[in-house]
Amino acid sequence: MTRKKAHIISHSHWDREWFLPLESLRFRLVTLMDEVEDLLDKEAGFNHFHMDGQMIMLEDYLAVKPAKREKMKQLVADGKLRIGPWYMLQDAFLTSGEANIRNLQYGLEMAEEFGQAEKIGYFPDTFGLYGQVPQLMRQAGFDTVVFGRGVNPTGFNNQVFDSAFASKYSEMFWESPDGSKVLGILLANWYSNGNEIPTDKEAAEIFWDKKLADVERFASTDEWLFMNGCDHQPVQTDLAEALEVARELYPEVDFIHSHFEKYQDAVKAGLEPEKLQTVHGELTSQQSDGWSTLANTASSRIYLKQANAKIERLLERLAEPISVMATEAGVSYPHEYLAFAWKLLMENQIHDSITGCSLDEVHREMEARFEKVEQTTMAIIQNAARKITEQIATNDAGIPITVFHAGGLEATRTVELELETDAIHFSEMHFELIPDELAKLPEQSFRMETSNGEEIPVVVEPLGIHFNYDLPERKFRDSYFARKYKLTFTVEHLPAVGYQTIYAHPVAVSDDEKELTGDLQLENQYLKVEIAPNGTYSILDKEKAVEVAGLGAYEDVGDIGNEYMFKETGDNLRINTYNSKPEIRVLREDKLGKTIEMKHEIEIPVSASATFAEEKRRLVWHPDRTSHRSDNRTTFKITTELTLNKHDKQLTVRVKLDNQVDDHRLRVLLPTGKQTETHQAGSVFEVVTRANKQVEEWTNPANDNRKQGFVTSGNIVVASLDLPEYEVSEQGDRLELTLLRAVSEIGDWGDFPAYEAECHREITAEFHVFLTDESSVNVPAQVNALLAPTFAIQHPSSSKEKILADTKDFAKWKVADGLVFSAFKLAKDNQPIIRFYQTASEPKLLNTVNLWRKSTILEETAGDAKNQFTVKPNEIITLKGV
C-alpha cells in the first residue's frame, strides 16, 4: 500500500499593504524574517520557508536590513529560502498583459541574483485568473501552477459538477485558448490549511483528523499539501516539534517539511492523468453562487484604475518604444531606469492595492506613488524624444514638431501641444523688461504643414507670456520668457510605431474660426450622432449601415456592499435620466470637429439609510444586507461631452462628476442594437467570449465582469482603458458601464472603515463607442491602437549633426488581420523585441523586413532566423532581432 505523504510548506502570505499600511506591516515583516533566518540556521527539522512567490517581500526586508543580503543569498543557495518567481503578487485582471510579463521578468531576474527561483506559477490570492496563464507559464518554462481562486472545487462528498469550470480534484489540467496546458493545483482548503499545528497530542489529533480528511477529499494522489501560514502570519517556531508529534500519532503518514518544487515533483510522479479533468480558459468562479467573485474590485476607487491604466500605457506605448527609437540617435537604452519605473508602478499593482480594497491610508500612499512613477516615466519619454529631435534633419521653414506614436497600426490622431515662440533669455535682457518687450509683438497664429507641404488643420489658442527655462547638458539652467500657444491639430498617416515631423508656420491672425451653429448633432464622413431631448443619443455608422439608438442614459443605484462586492439596497431604488431634460449646448465647433455638452441633474439619496451602519457594525455578510436608501436627497450633477472630430470613426464620451454622495453606483446604459447569448471582452493577451446568462448555481442578481480595453455586444463596441467593470444583460441587448462606485468599508473578516472609498472627489471618465457589423476581426487591434497615447514635442535648438529622417516607421513588419501589437522594446542584450497576440480563429502570417528569431516571453530565443512566422489562434508571439 502506498504511504500518504503530508507536505507541510512554511510560509506567510504577505499582503504588502491592506488592513494595515505598508510600514506597519514592514515592521512585522522584519520580525518574521529574523525569526525565519534563526530557524533555518539552528532548528533541526525546520528546512524551508516559502517567500510567498514574490521578491518584493525580500526587497522590503533588505531595505531595513541591507547587511543581511549575503545571508539571504546563502539561504537561497542552500535551498532553504524559497523565492520568486514574481516581483509581486498582482491582480491579474487589473494589470495589463505587458505588466504581467514585466512582473515575471523582473521577479525572476531578482531571484537569479540571489541564486535561484522557485520554478512554479504561484497565484495564491489573485482575484480570478485570465485564460492565458498556462501559455505564459509554459513560455517561462513552468509546467505547474498553484492557485487559490477561480475554479469552483467539488462540493461536499466529491460530487462532480457538469461544467468545464469545475474539477473533481484539487489537481487538474488547465489549458489556454492556444492549447498550452499546465498542471493546475488548487488550494482547495485555502493557503492556511496547515496553519498553527498543535504540539499537544490531544489537540494535534483533533487537528489532523480534520485536516487530513479535508485534503483527502480533494486530492487525486497520495501527496497532500498543507500550507503552514496565513496572511502576515508569524512563522511557527515550534513546527519541528509539532511534526514529530504528528509522526507519532499517524505512523502511516510521512510528514515532510517541504517546498513547492519537491511537492510538485511528487504530485507529478503519482498522477494518473486519465483521472483528471481539464479546465479551459479564464477562471473567475463562474460555477459558483456569484457572491464571492470579487469582481467589483474593478470599480472600487475608480481613480486608482485610471492612474494605473494611464501609466501602463505611457510605459508600453511611449517610454519603451521611443527609447528604442532613441538608440538611433546614439542614446543608450535605459534598462535600469525603465525597470525602476515598472517596479515603482508594480508597488501599486499588488492585488490588495490596485483592487482598491484596503484602508484609506494605503490608497493615499498609492496616489503619491502614481505621481512619482508618472514623473519618472515622463522623464524617460521627454529625454528620449529630445535626443531624437536634436538630430532630425528638418527643412528651414517653420517650427518643427515631432509626433511619436506606437499603436501598432497607422493612425490619424488629434494632438495637443503647447508651442513657444519669440523666447527672450535672461542673458539677453533684464528679466523685468522681457514681458513688456514681448507684449509689443503683433498677435500671431499658425499654419501647419507636413514635410511634403500638405496643410494640416489646426486650432490655435494664445496662452499669453510665460516664464520657462532650459536645462543644458553642460551648463547652468537657462531662463527665459516666451509667448505660448496651445495648438490642437490633426496628423494623418502617423507611423504604426515611429514618428512624424510637421511644421508650424507663424502667420497673421485671421478670423476664420467657425461660429457655434447650435445644431445639436454631430456628423462626419463616417458617423452621424443625433441627440434626443433627454440626453440619449443615436449613432449611425454610414459605412456599415448600422444604427443604434437610445445610448447614454445614466442610472444610479444604492450600494450597501463593500470594496470587494456590490450589493444593491433592499428597496431596489434605481434612478435614471430617461425622463430628464438636460441643458444641451454646442461647446466647441471648429475645423477639427465638434463637441456637444449636456448637463444632467438628478435627485438621489445622500447615502444608505441609518440601518446600514448597524449592519456593518454587526458584520452582516453583504448578500444578507437589506438596508434601504436614505429619504434625504440631494442634487447630483453629471456633465457629458460628446466629441466627434472629422477623422473619427468612434464617438468619444467624456463624463464629469463631482461626487459628494455616499453608498451608490453610477452607470451609463448602452443598448447594443440586438439580442445575443454571448458577448466578447478584451482580457490579458486574448479576447474572451462570455455567456450573458449565468449558470443555475448563480444566485447573485448582478453579473458584473471585468474587461481590458473593450467590450462588444450586439452592434456596439465600448473602448476604454480605465473603466474596467461592465455588465451585459441576459438578452445581450444592453451593456452597462460602471463610472463610479462609492462604498465605505473594506468588507473582509472585520469592521474596517474605508470612508475615502466613497470617492468624494471630481472624477472624469472617458470612453469611446463605435459600431460593428460583427464582420471585422480587427476590432481588438483597432481598439489597441485607438487607446495608444501620442507624444508631441517642439524641437529644441541644437548644434548636433542632423542625421535622422524627419519621419520614420520602425514597424518593419506586416501583420495579418487579428494580430494585436503588444510591445516594442530592447532585451537585456540590446536586441529589439516585438510582441503580438493573435485573436483570429485561424492561423495568420506575420511578415518582417529584417530577420528575427522566435522568443519566449523571457526573451530567450529558439529556432532559425527568418522573416515570416505563422501565428496560430490565440498565440502570444515574441520575436527577437538578430
Side-chain angles (χ1 to χ4, degrees):
M1 180 177 178
T2 305
R3 289 178 61 82
K4 312 293 186 184
K5 297 182 181 66
H7 294 258
I8 291 85
I9 296 181
S10 292
H11 79 113
S12 185
H13 177 59
W14 206 260
D15 299 303
R16 190 172 188 248
E17 49 191 12
W18 179 30
F19 66 91
L20 285 172
L22 168 61
E23 296 309 328
S24 298
L25 288 173
R26 194 200 302 259
F27 189 88
R28 294 175 60 87
L29 173 64
V30 171
T31 301
L32 167 73
M33 291 305 300
D34 286 344
E35 290 184 341
V36 166
E37 177 193 346
D38 193 58
L39 287 169
L40 291 174
D41 274 345
K42 301 175 183 177
E43 183 73 15
F46 191 96
N47 305 315
H48 313 284
F49 188 81
H50 177 65
M51 291 287 286
D52 202 32
Q54 53 176 330
M55 294 306 302
I56 199 170
M57 189 176 174
L58 188 55
E59 194 172 70
D60 283 346
Y61 171 66
L62 293 175
V64 176
K65 294 199 170 185
K68 292 287 188 180
R69 178 174 290 271
E70 293 307 313
K71 179 61 179 178
M72 295 298 108
K73 285 185 176 181
Q74 184 60 53
L75 291 174
V76 173
D78 292 343
K80 295 181 177 181
L81 199 63
R82 314 298 297 189
I83 62 172
W86 300 103
Y87 179 68
M88 53 81 197
L89 294 181
Q90 78 279 35
D91 182 85
F93 284 100
L94 295 176
T95 50
S96 71
E98 292 300 323
N100 276 265
I101 287 178
R102 299 301 181 283
N103 186 13
L104 189 59
Q105 286 179 314
Y106 292 132
L108 287 171
E109 285 177 13
M110 186 177 174
E112 287 162 6
E113 290 173 5
F114 279 82
Q116 59 184 332
E118 189 100 77
K119 300 290 187 180
I120 192 164
Y122 191 61
F123 300 85
D125 197 20
T126 311
F127 299 176
L129 291 163
Y130 50 86
Q132 292 283 33
V133 166
Q135 183 177 179
L136 291 177
M137 293 299 99
R138 277 292 188 180
Q139 289 201 29
F142 303 171
D143 61 8
T144 304
V145 172
V146 174
F147 55 95
R149 299 184 190 272
V151 165
N152 192 42
T154 53
F156 295 110
N157 301 318
N158 282 336
Q159 74 262 34
V160 181
F161 295 137
D162 183 17
S163 168
F165 299 103
S167 170
K168 180 177 181 180
Y169 302 109
S170 51
E171 298 80 35
M172 67 202 75
F173 294 116
W174 182 12
E175 188 173 305
S176 278
D178 75 310
S180 299
K181 186 180 287 189
V182 294
L183 172 64
I185 298 175
L186 174 68
L187 299 171
N189 297 289
W190 206 226
Y191 53 69
S192 57
N193 69 322
N195 194 24
E196 299 176 0
I197 302 173
T199 55
D200 176 78
K201 285 188 177 181
E202 184 177 346
E205 189 169 11
I206 295 171
F207 177 91
W208 283 114
D209 279 351
K210 181 178 189 313
K211 296 295 183 178
L212 292 169
D214 285 345
V215 172
E216 186 175 23
R217 187 195 312 171
F218 295 109
S220 67
T221 75
D222 293 325
E223 310 292 335
W224 297 348
L225 176 64
F226 296 92
M227 300 293 287
N228 177 234
C230 197
D231 299 348
H232 317 104
Q233 179 84 14
V235 63
Q236 183 170 348
T237 56
D238 61 357
L239 179 65
E241 179 186 353
L243 294 187
E244 283 301 321
V245 171
R247 293 177 185 119
E248 182 180 344
L249 289 171
Y250 302 87
E252 73 281 7
V253 178
D254 289 338
F255 289 87
I256 306 165
H257 195 220
S258 192
H259 57 78
F260 270 114
E261 287 190 8
K262 180 186 290 187
Y263 167 70
Q264 75 166 347
D265 290 345
V267 169
K268 285 189 283 189
L271 276 182
E272 298 177 52
E274 66 278 3
K275 290 172 58 176
L276 301 190
Q277 291 173 256
T278 299
V279 296
H280 300 269
E282 65 178 7
L283 307 179
T284 58
S285 300
Q286 299 100 315
Q287 193 79 25
S288 72
D289 64 10
W291 282 112
S292 298
T293 65
L294 313 187
N296 299 113
T297 54
S299 54
S300 291
R301 302 180 189 256
I302 199 71
Y303 58 91
L304 299 177
K305 281 66 172 175
Q306 293 180 314
N308 179 68
K310 176 183 179 182
I311 296 166
E312 280 183 337
R313 224 53 176 175
L314 289 176
L315 281 165
E316 297 167 16
R317 295 292 179 265
L318 291 177
E320 289 179 337
I322 297 178
S323 293
V324 178
M325 300 174 202
T327 60
E328 296 208 353
V331 181
S332 296
Y333 189 81
H335 291 284
E336 296 85 359
Y337 223 101
L338 282 165
F340 174 77
W342 270 113
K343 288 179 180 179
L344 188 56
L345 177 60
M346 287 178 199
E347 290 187 47
N348 279 356
Q349 294 186 330
I350 298 172
H351 55 283
D352 287 314
S353 300
I354 189 57
T355 50
C357 60
S358 300
L359 288 181
D360 293 337
E361 297 95 314
V362 167
H363 298 303
R364 274 186 236 127
E365 186 169 357
M366 285 180 65
E367 290 193 85
R369 279 193 213 117
F370 277 133
E371 290 183 5
K372 288 178 65 176
V373 71
E374 184 172 355
Q375 293 164 8
T376 301
T377 305
M378 288 308 302
I380 295 170
I381 294 168
Q382 290 163 350
N383 178 69
R386 182 183 178 96
K387 296 294 187 183
I388 292 169
T389 53
E390 284 177 341
Q391 298 183 48
I392 288 178
T394 61
N395 61 44
D396 295 329
I399 302 167
I401 298 165
T402 294
V403 182
F404 293 87
H405 172 257
L409 299 175
E410 183 179 276
T412 299
R413 291 288 179 268
T414 298
V415 179
E416 290 185 357
L417 171 75
E418 290 189 354
L419 183 77
E420 292 182 336
T421 67
D422 307 306
I424 302 178
H425 294 258
F426 287 13
S427 59
E428 301 174 83
M429 183 181 296
H430 193 282
F431 67 86
E432 292 181 347
L433 303 176
I434 297 175
D436 290 338
E437 189 67 21
L438 289 173
K440 298 175 184 177
L441 297 176
E443 294 182 8
Q444 66 178 8
S445 186
F446 296 90
R447 176 175 53 82
M448 299 192 73
E449 292 181 347
T450 67
S451 58
N452 296 326
E454 298 173 5
E455 187 166 353
I456 296 172
V458 60
V459 174
V460 180
E461 178 186 351
L463 299 178
I465 297 166
H466 289 265
F467 166 81
N468 206 346
Y469 59 89
D470 285 325
L471 294 175
E473 289 184 9
R474 297 288 179 264
K475 295 181 180 179
F476 188 60
R477 64 176 178 263
D478 184 5
S479 300
Y480 61 89
F481 281 100
R483 296 202 288 180
K484 185 181 286 188
Y485 302 84
K486 178 183 174 182
L487 305 186
T488 306
F489 50 92
T490 299
V491 185
E492 298 184 63
H493 309 299
L494 275 171
V497 179
Y499 63 79
Q500 179 180 347
T501 300
I502 58 177
Y503 298 87
H505 301 270
V507 295
V509 174
S510 62
D511 188 19
D512 62 350
E513 292 298 319
K514 281 187 177 182
E515 294 184 3
L516 301 184
T517 62
D519 180 17
L520 299 180
Q521 70 174 23
L522 305 164
E523 188 169 9
N524 63 15
Q525 61 180 315
Y526 305 112
L527 301 179
K528 182 177 181 180
V529 180
E530 295 184 305
I531 301 172
N534 67 356
T536 60
Y537 41 91
S538 64
I539 302 177
L540 169 65
D541 187 308
K542 300 178 181 179
E543 292 182 315
K544 298 183 177 72
V546 176
E547 183 173 16
V548 176
L551 298 158
Y554 298 97
E555 182 175 74
D556 190 85
V557 304
D559 189 344
I560 49 174
N562 51 52
E563 290 182 319
Y564 292 99
M565 292 295 294
F566 166 78
K567 171 62 166 70
E568 189 170 356
T569 48
D571 54 7
N572 299 118
L573 177 61
R574 299 188 172 204
I575 300 167
N576 61 53
T577 60
Y578 282 117
N579 295 319
S580 66
K581 292 185 178 180
E583 176 187 335
I584 307 175
R585 68 184 182 109
V586 177
L587 183 64
R588 156 198 157 245
E589 187 171 11
D590 52 43
K591 62 183 71 176
L592 301 183
K594 187 174 178 180
T595 298
I596 291 177
E597 179 189 74
M598 300 183 290
K599 291 186 176 181
H600 286 90
E601 291 187 0
I602 54 176
E603 298 298 313
I604 65 173
V606 297
S607 66
S609 64
T611 59
F612 183 39
E614 179 66 10
E615 286 184 313
K616 290 185 289 185
R617 189 187 68 80
R618 292 177 52 242
L619 306 183
V620 176
W621 193 38
H622 62 276
D624 299 327
R625 294 173 178 177
T626 59
S627 291
H628 290 197
R629 304 186 75 173
S630 170
D631 292 331
N632 297 325
R633 297 201 175 200
T634 189
T635 300
F636 188 74
K637 298 179 180 180
I638 306 168
T639 300
T640 308
E641 295 177 1
L642 304 179
T643 296
L644 185 67
N645 289 323
K646 290 195 173 180
H647 64 274
D648 290 345
K649 295 185 177 181
Q650 74 285 336
L651 176 68
T652 297
V653 185
R654 179 173 293 179
V655 185
K656 298 179 180 179
L657 311 168
D658 183 4
N659 181 55
Q660 302 301 323
V661 177
D662 293 346
D663 312 324
H664 71 127
R665 183 187 70 187
L666 182 73
R667 282 180 159 178
V668 60
L669 310 180
L670 302 162
T672 68
K674 64 189 302 185
Q675 292 191 355
T676 59
E677 293 183 353
T678 63
H679 66 276
Q680 292 187 313
S683 188
V684 178
F685 293 122
E686 66 175 327
V687 177
V688 184
T689 299
R690 293 172 176 150
N692 298 337
K693 186 175 181 179
Q694 277 295 356
V695 294
E696 184 179 348
E697 293 87 352
W698 195 276
T699 59
N700 188 344
N703 181 18
D704 302 324
N705 275 299
R706 290 160 285 191
K707 68 172 180 62
Q708 288 200 359
F710 76 96
V711 56
T712 179
S713 182
N715 292 124
I716 72 166
V717 179
V718 179
S720 67
L721 279 174
D722 52 12
L723 298 172
E725 182 184 286
Y726 74 91
E727 184 173 8
V728 173
S729 64
E730 282 193 5
Q731 296 75 28
D733 55 356
R734 189 166 85 169
L735 189 155
E736 302 179 5
L737 185 68
T738 304
L739 305 178
L740 168 72
R741 198 165 71 88
V743 294
S744 59
E745 64 167 356
I746 293 180
D748 190 13
W749 70 271
D751 183 11
F752 294 100
Y755 189 64
E756 290 172 23
E758 296 284 13
C759 297
H760 288 179
R761 57 173 66 209
E762 293 182 359
I763 291 176
T764 299
E766 184 174 284
F767 59 94
H768 310 275
V769 182
F770 57 97
L771 304 188
T772 176
D773 56 8
E774 300 184 305
S775 64
S776 176
V777 73
N778 275 330
V779 165
Q782 290 167 351
V783 170
N784 182 60
L786 172 66
L787 298 177
T790 56
F791 179 75
I793 181 173
Q794 179 180 351
H795 286 213
S797 57
S798 171
S799 58
K800 292 188 176 181
E801 184 181 2
K802 309 299 183 182
I803 58 173
L804 301 178
D806 68 353
T807 296
K808 182 164 185 178
D809 192 349
F810 288 75
K812 303 300 183 184
W813 55 80
K814 183 178 180 182
V815 295
D817 292 349
L819 284 171
V820 182
F821 170 75
S822 186
F824 181 49
K825 61 187 289 289
L826 291 191
K828 288 180 69 175
D829 60 4
N830 289 318
Q831 291 300 314
I833 291 288
I834 54 174
R835 183 161 31 251
F836 301 86
Y837 61 97
Q838 223 270 61
T839 62
S841 57
E842 64 280 338
K844 295 289 184 178
L845 288 180
L846 169 57
N847 295 291
T848 65
V849 174
N850 303 321
L851 293 176
W852 300 76
R853 283 193 174 91
K854 197 169 182 179
S855 166
T856 67
I857 60 169
L858 300 182
E859 299 165 6
E860 300 162 342
T861 56
D864 297 330
K866 53 185 181 179
N867 57 15
Q868 186 177 85
F869 300 84
T870 300
V871 190
K872 63 183 180 180
N874 301 298
E875 181 181 358
I876 304 163
I877 183 168
T878 305
L879 302 181
K880 189 174 184 179
V882 176

